[in-house]
Amino acid sequence: MPTIAPHPVATEPASPAPTGSSLAALFLTSKKALLHGNNICNHASTLTAGSSNLTVDILTLDAKLQWLTRNVADQLKAANSVAKYLESERDRAHSAAKEWDRARSRRTRSLDAILEQLGNQAVPPSLHKTVAGSSIFGSPRSDTGRQLPDTPQTEINDKASLGASGLNQESDQTVQERSRWKTLRDFIDERSIEEALERIEDERLRLDDSLARSYDFPQALDEQISAVRNALPRLSAEPILHEVHRHMTEQDRLVHAMAEDLEGIARHFGQVKDALQVEDDGGVINMDDIRSEANIWFPFERKLTCDGIALDQDTNELSAVVRDLDQSGGSVEDLHEQLSTIKASKLQDLETHQTILTKLEDLEEMMMAMLAEQDAVHHEANSLLETLNSRLVELENLEAAYLAYRRSYARLLQEMARRERYRAEMEEMVHGMVERLERYRDEETQRRHEFFTQEGEFIPEDLCPFVTDPPARWSFANTGEDDGRVIAEGLLEEARRILEDT
C-alpha cells in the first residue's frame, strides 16, 4: 500500500483543506467499507473452498453414475437380445403353424375334391342289390346246384332278353333313375373322416393355446426394458468436467476481481488514515499537494474532472466499489448454489440407481421365467406340430386311398362288363349244348321208336320190360354265384376317363 509523505506547511494561500470533522467522517466511511468488503471476501473465500470440495464430490459422483449407467446400459442391451430371441422364437413358431395351416388347407381341399368326385360317381343298384331271376346264373348260392330250363331261350345272344339284365340296362340309361342311385361316397365311413378332422382341429387349438402362452413375452419384456431405460438419470450432453470447469473459472475471475476491489478499499482507507494522522499531528494538508497526489490517493483509476478535495471524491467512489463487491459476492454464492444443486442432483441420481437395481433384479427374474416358459412352449409346440404333421400324412394317405378306391371302382365297372361278356358267352355255350342234347335226344327217341315199331311185337313183355323207356334227359346246373350285371356304356366311358386321368 502506498504511503503518504509528510506534507510541508503552505507558505502561500492555498485552497481550503478538509476540516478535521470531514476527515473523520471519511475515515469512518472508508473503515465501514473496508470491514464490509472484508466480510464479503471472507464469505466468498469460504464459498470458494466449499466449491472446490463440491467439485471433487461432483466429479466423484459423476464417475460413479457414468459407471453405473454403462453397466445398466450393458444389461439392458443383453435384455434386448433376450427380447429379440423371444420374438424370433415366437415368429418362428407362428410361421411354422401358418405353414402347417397352408398344408392342411391343401390337404383338405384335395380330400374335399376327391370326396366330391366320389359323390358324383353313381353306382348302379345292380352292383349292390341282389335281383332274383336276373339271369339263369343270378339265383342265390346253392350247394346242390340249379337245374337249367328245359326249353332253350330264344334269341340267346340278345342280352335284352336276359330278364333283369335288360331291366338293369334300361334303368342305367334313365337319368331319373340315376338320381336315386347311391354314389361311391355312400360306401365310405364319413363319420370317421369327420372325427379325424375334429381331432386335428382340437390339436390345432391346443397349439394356439400353447403359442399364446409366450406370445406377449417380447412386448412385455420391451416395456419393462423401456421402463428401466426411462428411469435412468438423464446425463448432460456436455461432460460434467467442462461444466464444473466453467463454474470454477468464473468463480476464480470473480474472486480475483473482489480481491482487487478489496485491495483498493484498503489502500483508500490507509490514505484517509494517514491524512487524519497528519492532521492530528498538527500538520496542514495543502490542496495542491492533495491534487498532485490525486493519482496516488485515487486507487480506483478514476480521474478527477473538477476541482475539489481528492479524498472526498475518492470516498464517494466507495459505494460503487462496494456494490461491485456485493454483486460479485452474490455471483459467487450463485455459482456455489449451482454446484450444490448439481451435487444434490447427482446424489438423487444415485438413489434412482438403487431403484433401478431393484428393477433390474425384477427384470432378470422375468427373463428367466420367460426363457423357461418359452423353452416349455417350444418343446410342446414341436411335439404338437409333429403330431399335426402326422395327421396331414394320414389325410394324404386317406386321399390316396380314395383315389385308389375311385380308380378301383372304374376297373370294377370294366371287370363287371368283362364278366357280363363272359357270362353271356358261357350262357350261349350252355344253351347251344342244351339244344344239341335235345336234338340228340330227339334222334335217340326216334330211333328207339323205330326199333320198337319193327321189333317190339316179337319181344315178350317180360323180356327187357324197360326197352320202351325214353332216353334220359340231360341237364346242366351251376354251383356258386356268378351273377352278371349289365353296365351301361355311359358308365364304362366314365370309367375309361377316370383311368386315363390317373
Side-chain angles (χ1 to χ4, degrees):
M1 179 181 298
T3 58
I4 301 177
H7 294 280
V9 178
T11 58
E12 296 180 357
S15 300
T19 63
S21 59
S22 296
L23 285 175
L26 291 177
F27 176 79
L28 292 176
T29 301
S30 296
K31 183 177 181 180
K32 182 178 179 181
L34 179 61
L35 292 175
H36 180 70
N38 190 57
N39 289 335
I40 293 176
C41 288
N42 287 337
H43 182 60
S45 178
T46 302
L47 292 178
T48 301
S51 295
S52 298
N53 294 331
L54 285 174
T55 299
V56 174
D57 293 342
I58 289 172
L59 294 177
T60 302
L61 292 173
D62 183 72
K64 290 182 179 179
L65 286 172
Q66 293 283 354
W67 181 79
L68 289 173
T69 302
R70 283 195 297 270
N71 285 341
V72 172
D74 291 340
Q75 294 185 47
L76 292 181
K77 187 181 297 184
N80 270 326
S81 299
V82 173
K84 290 180 180 179
Y85 165 76
L86 292 174
E87 185 177 6
S88 65
E89 285 295 300
R90 180 194 65 183
D91 294 343
R92 183 197 61 78
H94 280 270
S95 177
K98 290 180 180 179
E99 180 61 29
W100 184 89
D101 288 337
R102 288 190 288 269
R104 178 178 67 169
S105 297
R106 292 193 296 269
R107 290 269 69 85
T108 53
R109 283 197 301 268
S110 298
L111 184 60
D112 289 340
I114 185 60
L115 289 176
E116 184 177 358
Q117 291 173 352
L118 295 178
N120 294 331
Q121 191 72 49
V123 178
S126 59
L127 291 184
H128 59 87
K129 290 183 179 180
T130 301
V131 181
S134 60
S135 72
I136 59 174
F137 299 103
S139 63
R141 179 177 299 175
S142 173
D143 294 334
T144 59
R146 183 182 70 252
Q147 189 74 23
L148 290 175
D150 292 337
T151 305
Q153 296 288 339
T154 59
E155 300 180 359
I156 194 71
N157 294 325
D158 188 358
K159 293 181 181 179
S161 67
L162 298 180
S165 297
L167 296 177
N168 286 337
Q169 187 175 17
E170 292 178 1
S171 63
D172 289 350
Q173 297 171 352
T174 304
V175 176
Q176 185 176 3
E177 288 292 330
R178 280 198 183 189
S179 64
R180 294 194 293 268
W181 287 3
K182 285 188 175 183
T183 65
L184 288 180
R185 190 165 182 170
D186 295 324
F187 295 91
I188 63 175
D189 186 8
E190 288 204 55
R191 180 57 187 166
S192 63
I193 299 176
E194 293 175 358
E195 291 176 353
L197 293 177
E198 288 175 0
R199 285 194 301 271
I200 291 176
E201 185 62 25
D202 290 341
E203 290 167 350
R204 181 62 180 86
L205 291 176
R206 285 177 55 197
L207 178 61
D208 282 340
D209 293 339
S210 178
L211 295 179
R213 284 158 45 195
S214 61
Y215 184 82
D216 295 330
F217 282 0
Q219 180 180 356
L221 190 55
D222 283 337
E223 290 176 355
Q224 190 71 10
I225 292 172
S226 297
V228 175
R229 182 178 290 112
N230 293 334
L232 281 174
R234 291 291 180 263
L235 298 178
S236 175
E238 180 185 16
I240 193 65
L241 180 61
H242 294 177
E243 184 177 0
V244 170
H245 181 267
R246 187 170 59 252
H247 280 72
M248 295 303 294
T249 301
E250 177 64 15
Q251 184 174 264
D252 288 343
R253 185 189 68 78
L254 291 172
V255 168
H256 282 90
M258 292 174 68
E260 291 177 357
D261 287 341
L262 182 61
E263 183 180 356
I265 293 174
R267 186 183 303 114
H268 175 266
F269 174 74
Q271 291 173 347
V272 173
K273 182 179 179 181
D274 290 343
L276 186 61
Q277 184 64 40
V278 170
E279 186 178 77
D280 289 342
D281 292 341
V284 178
I285 300 175
N286 190 287
M287 178 57 69
D288 293 335
D289 294 333
I290 293 175
R291 287 174 179 167
S292 64
E293 296 184 7
N295 290 333
I296 298 176
W297 291 3
F298 204 84
F300 309 113
E301 298 182 358
R302 294 180 175 86
K303 300 299 182 180
L304 291 172
T305 58
C306 61
D307 292 337
I309 301 175
L311 285 176
D312 190 30
Q313 290 181 348
D314 205 14
T315 303
N316 291 335
E317 296 292 335
L318 285 176
S319 59
V321 175
V322 171
R323 284 195 301 271
D324 290 343
L325 277 175
D326 288 338
Q327 184 176 359
S328 297
S331 297
V332 171
E333 286 185 354
D334 291 341
L335 291 173
H336 183 272
E337 185 63 28
Q338 291 176 17
L339 291 175
S340 298
T341 302
I342 293 174
K343 179 181 178 180
S345 175
K346 297 296 181 182
L347 290 173
Q348 182 62 40
D349 290 345
L350 281 179
E351 293 181 3
T352 301
H353 266 285
Q354 294 299 322
T355 304
I356 291 175
L357 289 178
T358 302
K359 291 184 178 180
L360 284 177
E361 292 175 357
D362 296 339
L363 180 62
E364 182 181 5
E365 293 178 0
M366 176 186 290
M367 287 191 298
M368 296 299 294
M370 285 182 174
L371 288 173
E373 183 67 11
Q374 178 63 43
D375 187 61
V377 168
H378 173 76
H379 290 294
E380 183 176 345
N382 284 345
S383 177
L384 287 171
L385 281 173
E386 184 177 353
T387 301
L388 288 170
N389 285 328
S390 68
R391 301 299 186 199
L392 293 184
V393 173
E394 293 176 4
L395 291 181
E396 185 177 4
N397 294 337
L398 194 60
E399 177 189 350
Y402 288 152
L403 286 172
Y405 168 45
R406 185 166 180 256
R407 185 170 57 251
S408 297
Y409 172 71
R411 290 174 178 167
L412 174 64
L413 293 178
Q414 292 182 339
E415 174 66 12
M416 296 310 296
R418 185 195 65 78
R419 291 187 183 187
E420 171 60 20
R421 292 193 299 272
Y422 161 78
R423 185 200 60 78
E425 291 174 359
M426 291 297 295
E427 192 176 63
E428 185 176 355
M429 290 175 61
V430 168
H431 283 292
M433 184 62 69
V434 169
E435 288 179 351
R436 290 180 61 187
L437 290 175
E438 286 297 322
R439 286 197 302 271
Y440 290 157
R441 184 175 181 277
D442 290 343
E443 292 176 1
E444 179 64 19
T445 300
Q446 182 63 32
R447 288 179 180 178
R448 291 186 183 190
H449 178 71
E450 291 176 355
F451 171 78
F452 189 75
T453 300
Q454 295 175 2
E455 307 295 338
E457 60 179 327
F458 304 108
I459 299 174
E461 292 182 0
D462 56 350
L463 177 62
C464 193
F466 51 83
V467 71
T468 58
D469 291 344
R473 184 182 294 277
W474 293 88
S475 63
F476 290 91
N478 66 318
T479 59
E481 295 183 3
D482 191 14
D483 294 344
R485 295 292 184 267
V486 177
I487 306 300
E489 184 60 32
L491 294 177
L492 292 175
E493 182 62 29
E494 289 181 10
R496 282 191 290 270
R497 286 198 299 269
I498 291 173
L499 294 176
E500 289 174 358
D501 293 340
T502 56

PDB file of all heavy atoms in Angstrom, residues 180-197:
ATOM      1  N   ARG A 180     -81.509 -91.349 -58.140  1.00  0.00           N
ATOM      2  CA  ARG A 180     -81.818 -92.062 -56.899  1.00  0.00           C
ATOM      3  C   ARG A 180     -80.784 -93.131 -56.577  1.00  0.00           C
ATOM      4  O   ARG A 180     -80.905 -93.827 -55.581  1.00  0.00           O
ATOM      5  CB  ARG A 180     -83.214 -92.693 -56.994  1.00  0.00           C
ATOM      6  CG  ARG A 180     -84.337 -91.678 -57.080  1.00  0.00           C
ATOM      7  CD  ARG A 180     -85.676 -92.336 -56.829  1.00  0.00           C
ATOM      8  NE  ARG A 180     -86.029 -93.270 -57.881  1.00  0.00           N
ATOM      9  CZ  ARG A 180     -86.739 -92.954 -58.961  1.00  0.00           C
ATOM     10  NH1 ARG A 180     -87.169 -91.714 -59.124  1.00  0.00           N
ATOM     11  NH2 ARG A 180     -87.023 -93.855 -59.880  1.00  0.00           N
ATOM     12  N   TRP A 181     -79.793 -93.261 -57.423  1.00  0.00           N
ATOM     13  CA  TRP A 181     -78.758 -94.257 -57.169  1.00  0.00           C
ATOM     14  C   TRP A 181     -77.852 -93.809 -56.028  1.00  0.00           C
ATOM     15  O   TRP A 181     -77.677 -92.622 -55.756  1.00  0.00           O
ATOM     16  CB  TRP A 181     -77.889 -94.454 -58.408  1.00  0.00           C
ATOM     17  CG  TRP A 181     -78.566 -95.210 -59.518  1.00  0.00           C
ATOM     18  CD1 TRP A 181     -79.840 -95.668 -59.549  1.00  0.00           C
ATOM     19  CD2 TRP A 181     -77.975 -95.547 -60.765  1.00  0.00           C
ATOM     20  NE1 TRP A 181     -80.110 -96.288 -60.724  1.00  0.00           N
ATOM     21  CE2 TRP A 181     -78.966 -96.234 -61.500  1.00  0.00           C
ATOM     22  CE3 TRP A 181     -76.730 -95.356 -61.330  1.00  0.00           C
ATOM     23  CZ2 TRP A 181     -78.734 -96.724 -62.779  1.00  0.00           C
ATOM     24  CZ3 TRP A 181     -76.500 -95.844 -62.594  1.00  0.00           C
ATOM     25  CH2 TRP A 181     -77.486 -96.523 -63.313  1.00  0.00           C
ATOM     26  N   LYS A 182     -77.236 -94.774 -55.417  1.00  0.00           N
ATOM     27  CA  LYS A 182     -76.180 -94.463 -54.464  1.00  0.00           C
ATOM     28  C   LYS A 182     -74.933 -94.013 -55.214  1.00  0.00           C
ATOM     29  O   LYS A 182     -74.800 -94.250 -56.416  1.00  0.00           O
ATOM     30  CB  LYS A 182     -75.847 -95.689 -53.610  1.00  0.00           C
ATOM     31  CG  LYS A 182     -76.881 -96.006 -52.545  1.00  0.00           C
ATOM     32  CD  LYS A 182     -76.366 -97.107 -51.633  1.00  0.00           C
ATOM     33  CE  LYS A 182     -77.345 -97.358 -50.490  1.00  0.00           C
ATOM     34  NZ  LYS A 182     -76.834 -98.386 -49.550  1.00  0.00           N
ATOM     35  N   THR A 183     -74.047 -93.355 -54.480  1.00  0.00           N
ATOM     36  CA  THR A 183     -72.770 -92.945 -55.059  1.00  0.00           C
ATOM     37  C   THR A 183     -71.638 -93.642 -54.308  1.00  0.00           C
ATOM     38  O   THR A 183     -71.858 -94.272 -53.256  1.00  0.00           O
ATOM     39  CB  THR A 183     -72.578 -91.418 -54.963  1.00  0.00           C
ATOM     40  OG1 THR A 183     -72.501 -91.050 -53.580  1.00  0.00           O
ATOM     41  CG2 THR A 183     -73.737 -90.684 -55.623  1.00  0.00           C
ATOM     42  N   LEU A 184     -70.444 -93.511 -54.851  1.00  0.00           N
ATOM     43  CA  LEU A 184     -69.296 -94.123 -54.175  1.00  0.00           C
ATOM     44  C   LEU A 184     -69.113 -93.560 -52.764  1.00  0.00           C
ATOM     45  O   LEU A 184     -68.606 -94.243 -51.872  1.00  0.00           O
ATOM     46  CB  LEU A 184     -68.017 -93.874 -54.986  1.00  0.00           C
ATOM     47  CG  LEU A 184     -67.879 -94.653 -56.301  1.00  0.00           C
ATOM     48  CD1 LEU A 184     -66.569 -94.292 -56.975  1.00  0.00           C
ATOM     49  CD2 LEU A 184     -67.951 -96.154 -56.049  1.00  0.00           C
ATOM     50  N   ARG A 185     -69.535 -92.310 -52.558  1.00  0.00           N
ATOM     51  CA  ARG A 185     -69.372 -91.681 -51.246  1.00  0.00           C
ATOM     52  C   ARG A 185     -70.251 -92.345 -50.192  1.00  0.00           C
ATOM     53  O   ARG A 185     -69.939 -92.305 -49.002  1.00  0.00           O
ATOM     54  CB  ARG A 185     -69.695 -90.191 -51.352  1.00  0.00           C
ATOM     55  CG  ARG A 185     -69.328 -89.386 -50.123  1.00  0.00           C
ATOM     56  CD  ARG A 185     -69.342 -87.909 -50.423  1.00  0.00           C
ATOM     57  NE  ARG A 185     -68.937 -87.114 -49.268  1.00  0.00           N
ATOM     58  CZ  ARG A 185     -68.686 -85.814 -49.303  1.00  0.00           C
ATOM     59  NH1 ARG A 185     -68.794 -85.158 -50.455  1.00  0.00           N
ATOM     60  NH2 ARG A 185     -68.320 -85.161 -48.211  1.00  0.00           N
ATOM     61  N   ASP A 186     -71.355 -92.964 -50.641  1.00  0.00           N
ATOM     62  CA  ASP A 186     -72.246 -93.627 -49.686  1.00  0.00           C
ATOM     63  C   ASP A 186     -71.625 -94.883 -49.089  1.00  0.00           C
ATOM     64  O   ASP A 186     -72.128 -95.391 -48.078  1.00  0.00           O
ATOM     65  CB  ASP A 186     -73.569 -93.989 -50.376  1.00  0.00           C
ATOM     66  CG  ASP A 186     -74.348 -92.752 -50.797  1.00  0.00           C
ATOM     67  OD1 ASP A 186     -74.302 -91.758 -50.045  1.00  0.00           O
ATOM     68  OD2 ASP A 186     -74.967 -92.768 -51.877  1.00  0.00           O
ATOM     69  N   PHE A 187     -70.551 -95.374 -49.685  1.00  0.00           N
ATOM     70  CA  PHE A 187     -69.959 -96.627 -49.223  1.00  0.00           C
ATOM     71  C   PHE A 187     -68.713 -96.407 -48.360  1.00  0.00           C
ATOM     72  O   PHE A 187     -68.020 -97.362 -48.031  1.00  0.00           O
ATOM     73  CB  PHE A 187     -69.600 -97.509 -50.430  1.00  0.00           C
ATOM     74  CG  PHE A 187     -70.798 -97.960 -51.206  1.00  0.00           C
ATOM     75  CD1 PHE A 187     -71.269 -97.213 -52.276  1.00  0.00           C
ATOM     76  CD2 PHE A 187     -71.477 -99.117 -50.856  1.00  0.00           C
ATOM     77  CE1 PHE A 187     -72.378 -97.622 -52.991  1.00  0.00           C
ATOM     78  CE2 PHE A 187     -72.589 -99.530 -51.573  1.00  0.00           C
ATOM     79  CZ  PHE A 187     -73.052 -98.779 -52.644  1.00  0.00           C
ATOM     80  N   ILE A 188     -68.421 -95.138 -48.040  1.00  0.00           N
ATOM     81  CA  ILE A 188     -67.273 -94.865 -47.168  1.00  0.00           C
ATOM     82  C   ILE A 188     -67.783 -94.380 -45.822  1.00  0.00           C
ATOM     83  O   ILE A 188     -68.920 -93.906 -45.694  1.00  0.00           O
ATOM     84  CB  ILE A 188     -66.327 -93.810 -47.787  1.00  0.00           C
ATOM     85  CG1 ILE A 188     -67.043 -92.470 -47.940  1.00  0.00           C
ATOM     86  CG2 ILE A 188     -65.779 -94.290 -49.116  1.00  0.00           C
ATOM     87  CD1 ILE A 188     -66.145 -91.365 -48.435  1.00  0.00           C
ATOM     88  N   ASP A 189     -66.930 -94.483 -44.809  1.00  0.00           N
ATOM     89  CA  ASP A 189     -67.290 -94.091 -43.449  1.00  0.00           C
ATOM     90  C   ASP A 189     -66.933 -92.621 -43.249  1.00  0.00           C
ATOM     91  O   ASP A 189     -65.833 -92.285 -42.802  1.00  0.00           O
ATOM     92  CB  ASP A 189     -66.551 -94.975 -42.440  1.00  0.00           C
ATOM     93  CG  ASP A 189     -67.003 -94.694 -41.011  1.00  0.00           C
ATOM     94  OD1 ASP A 189     -67.977 -93.931 -40.836  1.00  0.00           O
ATOM     95  OD2 ASP A 189     -66.375 -95.230 -40.080  1.00  0.00           O
ATOM     96  N   GLU A 190     -67.878 -91.739 -43.607  1.00  0.00           N
ATOM     97  CA  GLU A 190     -67.602 -90.302 -43.485  1.00  0.00           C
ATOM     98  C   GLU A 190     -67.545 -89.862 -42.031  1.00  0.00           C
ATOM     99  O   GLU A 190     -66.911 -88.856 -41.708  1.00  0.00           O
ATOM    100  CB  GLU A 190     -68.663 -89.492 -44.233  1.00  0.00           C
ATOM    101  CG  GLU A 190     -68.549 -89.591 -45.734  1.00  0.00           C
ATOM    102  CD  GLU A 190     -69.174 -88.404 -46.437  1.00  0.00           C
ATOM    103  OE1 GLU A 190     -68.787 -87.264 -46.121  1.00  0.00           O
ATOM    104  OE2 GLU A 190     -70.039 -88.633 -47.284  1.00  0.00           O
ATOM    105  N   ARG A 191     -68.197 -90.598 -41.155  1.00  0.00           N
ATOM    106  CA  ARG A 191     -68.147 -90.230 -39.743  1.00  0.00           C
ATOM    107  C   ARG A 191     -66.720 -90.310 -39.211  1.00  0.00           C
ATOM    108  O   ARG A 191     -66.286 -89.450 -38.441  1.00  0.00           O
ATOM    109  CB  ARG A 191     -69.067 -91.162 -38.937  1.00  0.00           C
ATOM    110  CG  ARG A 191     -69.078 -90.861 -37.440  1.00  0.00           C
ATOM    111  CD  ARG A 191     -69.488 -89.432 -37.175  1.00  0.00           C
ATOM    112  NE  ARG A 191     -69.344 -89.064 -35.777  1.00  0.00           N
ATOM    113  CZ  ARG A 191     -69.379 -87.832 -35.323  1.00  0.00           C
ATOM    114  NH1 ARG A 191     -69.540 -86.821 -36.180  1.00  0.00           N
ATOM    115  NH2 ARG A 191     -69.242 -87.576 -34.043  1.00  0.00           N
ATOM    116  N   SER A 192     -65.981 -91.310 -39.653  1.00  0.00           N
ATOM    117  CA  SER A 192     -64.588 -91.426 -39.216  1.00  0.00           C
ATOM    118  C   SER A 192     -63.758 -90.268 -39.758  1.00  0.00           C
ATOM    119  O   SER A 192     -62.837 -89.780 -39.090  1.00  0.00           O
ATOM    120  CB  SER A 192     -64.002 -92.757 -39.679  1.00  0.00           C
ATOM    121  OG  SER A 192     -63.989 -92.826 -41.098  1.00  0.00           O
ATOM    122  N   ILE A 193     -64.094 -89.793 -40.974  1.00  0.00           N
ATOM    123  CA  ILE A 193     -63.382 -88.633 -41.529  1.00  0.00           C
ATOM    124  C   ILE A 193     -63.667 -87.397 -40.683  1.00  0.00           C
ATOM    125  O   ILE A 193     -62.764 -86.627 -40.337  1.00  0.00           O
ATOM    126  CB  ILE A 193     -63.794 -88.397 -42.989  1.00  0.00           C
ATOM    127  CG1 ILE A 193     -63.444 -89.614 -43.845  1.00  0.00           C
ATOM    128  CG2 ILE A 193     -63.129 -87.146 -43.545  1.00  0.00           C
ATOM    129  CD1 ILE A 193     -63.897 -89.501 -45.283  1.00  0.00           C
ATOM    130  N   GLU A 194     -64.945 -87.199 -40.335  1.00  0.00           N
ATOM    131  CA  GLU A 194     -65.308 -86.049 -39.512  1.00  0.00           C
ATOM    132  C   GLU A 194     -64.617 -86.110 -38.152  1.00  0.00           C
ATOM    133  O   GLU A 194     -64.130 -85.089 -37.641  1.00  0.00           O
ATOM    134  CB  GLU A 194     -66.823 -86.002 -39.337  1.00  0.00           C
ATOM    135  CG  GLU A 194     -67.583 -85.719 -40.634  1.00  0.00           C
ATOM    136  CD  GLU A 194     -69.085 -85.805 -40.446  1.00  0.00           C
ATOM    137  OE1 GLU A 194     -69.507 -86.117 -39.305  1.00  0.00           O
ATOM    138  OE2 GLU A 194     -69.821 -85.574 -41.416  1.00  0.00           O
ATOM    139  N   GLU A 195     -64.568 -87.288 -37.566  1.00  0.00           N
ATOM    140  CA  GLU A 195     -63.894 -87.423 -36.272  1.00  0.00           C
ATOM    141  C   GLU A 195     -62.405 -87.129 -36.399  1.00  0.00           C
ATOM    142  O   GLU A 195     -61.808 -86.490 -35.518  1.00  0.00           O
ATOM    143  CB  GLU A 195     -64.120 -88.832 -35.724  1.00  0.00           C
ATOM    144  CG  GLU A 195     -65.561 -89.100 -35.304  1.00  0.00           C
ATOM    145  CD  GLU A 195     -65.767 -90.538 -34.864  1.00  0.00           C
ATOM    146  OE1 GLU A 195     -64.813 -91.338 -35.027  1.00  0.00           O
ATOM    147  OE2 GLU A 195     -66.862 -90.859 -34.366  1.00  0.00           O
ATOM    148  N   ALA A 196     -61.796 -87.585 -37.496  1.00  0.00           N
ATOM    149  CA  ALA A 196     -60.371 -87.306 -37.707  1.00  0.00           C
ATOM    150  C   ALA A 196     -60.130 -85.806 -37.864  1.00  0.00           C
ATOM    151  O   ALA A 196     -59.181 -85.247 -37.292  1.00  0.00           O
ATOM    152  CB  ALA A 196     -59.870 -88.053 -38.940  1.00  0.00           C
ATOM    153  N   LEU A 197     -61.011 -85.124 -38.621  1.00  0.00           N
ATOM    154  CA  LEU A 197     -60.865 -83.675 -38.792  1.00  0.00           C
ATOM    155  C   LEU A 197     -61.103 -82.939 -37.480  1.00  0.00           C
ATOM    156  O   LEU A 197     -60.452 -81.924 -37.198  1.00  0.00           O
ATOM    157  CB  LEU A 197     -61.838 -83.180 -39.865  1.00  0.00           C
ATOM    158  CG  LEU A 197     -61.557 -83.672 -41.294  1.00  0.00           C
ATOM    159  CD1 LEU A 197     -62.633 -83.177 -42.247  1.00  0.00           C
ATOM    160  CD2 LEU A 197     -60.181 -83.210 -41.768  1.00  0.00           C
TER     161      LEU A 197
END
